[in-house]
């Protein structure tokens, strides 16, 4: 049997010292949600942000171990494995055993992966510009410096 709960009308809660809208994590999540929507709309291909991070980092650095790629893209072991598995299934990356350490997998872009990374890079730059568009040049520079300091 359900119990009824009496609700008092016009009773304001006590003033809290914690206001969600003023918390850095909440604000960062809202900014991330905005950026993710822009990314999904404008990336121009069927890539997730984590897939794009892996592709773009491989295009930047060249082949590297799956473990190292995870560190370079701030992904844990399970996440980077799933990302690489999905990219490999699409023919964009390939893995091979490291000749110096057979236990280690080396990830590299395929020709199709390299071509896609080159094609998508201008879209990714435009996504960054749109995300930062509400800020002037000095504010963008300051924001990026502060965010890098918080890493």
């Amino acid at each position: 049997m359900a119990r009824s709960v009496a609700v008092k009308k016009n009773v304001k809660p006590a003033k809290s010292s914690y206001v969600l809208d003023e918390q850095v994590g909440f604000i960062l999540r809202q900014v991330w949600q905005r950026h993710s929507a822009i990314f999904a709309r404008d990336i121009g291909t069927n890539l997730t942000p984590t897939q794009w991070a892996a592709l773009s980092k491989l295009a930047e650095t060249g082949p590297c171990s799956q473990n190292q790629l995870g560190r370079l893209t701030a992904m844990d072991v399970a996440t980077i494995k799933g990302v690489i598995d999905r990219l490999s299934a699409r023919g964009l990356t390939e893995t091979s055993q490291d000749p110096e350490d057979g236990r280690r997998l080396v990830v590299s872009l395929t020709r199709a992966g390299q071509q896609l990374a080159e094609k998508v890079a201008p879209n990714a730059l435009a996504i960054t510009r749109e995300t930062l568009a509400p800020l002037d040049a000095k504010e963008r520079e300051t924001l990026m410096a502060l965010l890098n300091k918080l890493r």
Side-chain angles (χ1 to χ4, degrees), residues 27-148:
I27 294 167
L28 288 172
R29 185 164 57 85
Q30 289 178 314
V31 171
W32 172 249
Q33 288 170 333
R34 179 175 165 270
H35 174 76
S36 294
I38 295 166
F39 182 93
R41 184 192 71 208
D42 294 348
I43 195 61
T45 188
N46 186 22
L47 287 174
T48 66
T50 53
Q51 290 169 345
W52 171 244
L55 280 179
S56 65
K57 186 53 79 172
L58 285 170
E60 178 187 335
T61 65
C64 64
S65 74
Q66 188 168 289
N67 196 321
Q68 176 69 9
L69 183 59
R71 286 192 301 275
L72 292 172
T73 57
M75 290 183 230
D76 62 44
V77 172
T79 301
I80 194 63
K81 181 185 180 331
V83 167
I84 295 305
D85 287 349
R86 286 184 286 284
L87 291 173
S88 292
R90 292 176 59 183
L92 300 173
T93 60
E94 58 190 7
T95 59
S96 58
Q97 285 189 323
D98 185 333
E100 296 175 16
D101 183 348
R103 299 168 296 171
R104 186 179 318 168
L105 282 181
V106 174
V107 181
S108 56
L109 292 176
T110 61
R111 183 174 183 81
Q114 183 66 43
Q115 290 172 340
L116 184 63
E118 290 169 6
K119 178 183 170 194
V120 171
N123 298 19
L125 289 168
I127 290 163
T128 295
R129 282 193 300 275
E130 184 171 343
T131 298
L132 297 174
L135 307 176
D136 65 33
K138 182 66 176 160
E139 289 170 328
R140 287 190 297 270
E141 184 181 313
T142 300
L143 175 65
M144 293 306 292
L146 292 170
L147 288 172
N148 278 305

Side-chain angles (χ1 to χ4, degrees), residues 15-23:
K15 178 115 171 114
S16 172
S17 61
Y18 186 92
V19 178
L20 182 63
D21 290 340
E22 297 172 358
Q23 304 310 309

